[in-house]
Amino acid sequence: LHGKEETRCPHLPGSGETTLCPWPSRLTLNLKETGGRFRQEWQLFAPGWVPLPGGPQIWPQGLTVENKPHPLLAREGQPGVWLPVGRHQLEGTFLWQTMPESLPIPPATALVALTLSGQTVPFPSRDQEGLLWLRTQPLHDRNRSEDEDRMDLTVHRQIVDGVPVTIV
């Protein structure tokens, strides 16, 4: 498969031939007034570029991959790392004088677990540009009330093995 490593990558449902070779898991951020830590696991089906949280003004520090120091690279001004095929645990830190208002998050990252100064943020606020808001809500969210409508739902299914198979 030399030169055709992307054939191992999963196809996105309903997207035709579009594949996604790097698959991110939940990004865990534990941030404080003077810095913080991040952790994320990535599954790569082909060697490739893995973007990291942060940007030109907020550059991650002390990156480790599988608990071993790893060099950070810049690609189009964004922090990242080149990784081989496999599952990889990435961890790093941020250092700042005061907590920024927002933190750039890679677009491929859908799930974010955010803790600010020891307090869990149940619904982190992100905008269309990929910014995770830490200090203030973006303008379009300021009109929303603090209480959100929410419903927890648990679905149970029983599969009865027979002819025909039935689902209850």
Side-chain angles (χ1 to χ4, degrees):
L1 294 174
H2 181 69
K4 301 283 184 187
E5 289 87 359
E6 69 278 354
T7 58
R8 292 184 274 195
C9 302
H11 290 274
L12 296 175
S15 65
E17 294 298 315
T18 304
T19 60
L20 189 61
C21 294
W23 284 81
S25 69
R26 179 183 316 267
L27 172 63
T28 303
L29 293 165
N30 187 352
L31 306 177
K32 297 180 181 175
E33 195 60 36
T34 59
R37 298 194 55 76
F38 70 89
R39 185 177 73 240
Q40 189 171 26
E41 187 173 293
W42 286 78
Q43 173 73 43
L44 278 77
F45 295 94
W49 174 259
V50 172
L52 297 173
Q57 276 70 33
I58 306 169
W59 201 258
Q61 307 288 318
L63 178 69
T64 62
V65 177
E66 317 307 342
N67 296 320
K68 295 178 184 162
H70 202 282
L72 264 162
L73 304 172
R75 184 176 181 190
E76 298 174 4
Q78 298 303 311
V81 63
W82 184 267
L83 295 174
V85 173
R87 188 175 297 264
H88 304 282
Q89 181 77 31
L90 284 71
E91 295 186 39
T93 59
F94 292 106
L95 299 173
W96 47 62
Q97 296 297 319
T98 58
M99 188 182 299
E101 287 189 7
S102 62
L103 179 68
I105 300 295
T109 300
L111 300 174
V112 177
L114 177 62
T115 303
L116 293 175
S117 301
Q119 298 292 320
T120 300
V121 178
F123 301 106
S125 181
R126 290 177 68 182
D127 64 15
Q128 297 294 341
E129 287 80 38
L131 293 176
L132 175 68
W133 290 90
L134 306 175
R135 287 202 173 266
T136 59
Q137 293 180 335
L139 292 176
H140 66 275
D141 282 351
R142 288 185 183 161
N143 295 332
R144 260 187 0 197
S145 69
E146 288 296 319
D147 296 329
E148 294 189 20
D149 291 335
R150 182 176 175 187
M151 176 174 52
D152 291 330
L153 180 69
T154 304
V155 176
H156 298 276
R157 295 185 180 128
Q158 177 186 13
I159 299 176
V160 180
D161 192 9
V163 178
V165 173
T166 57
I167 299 176
V168 179

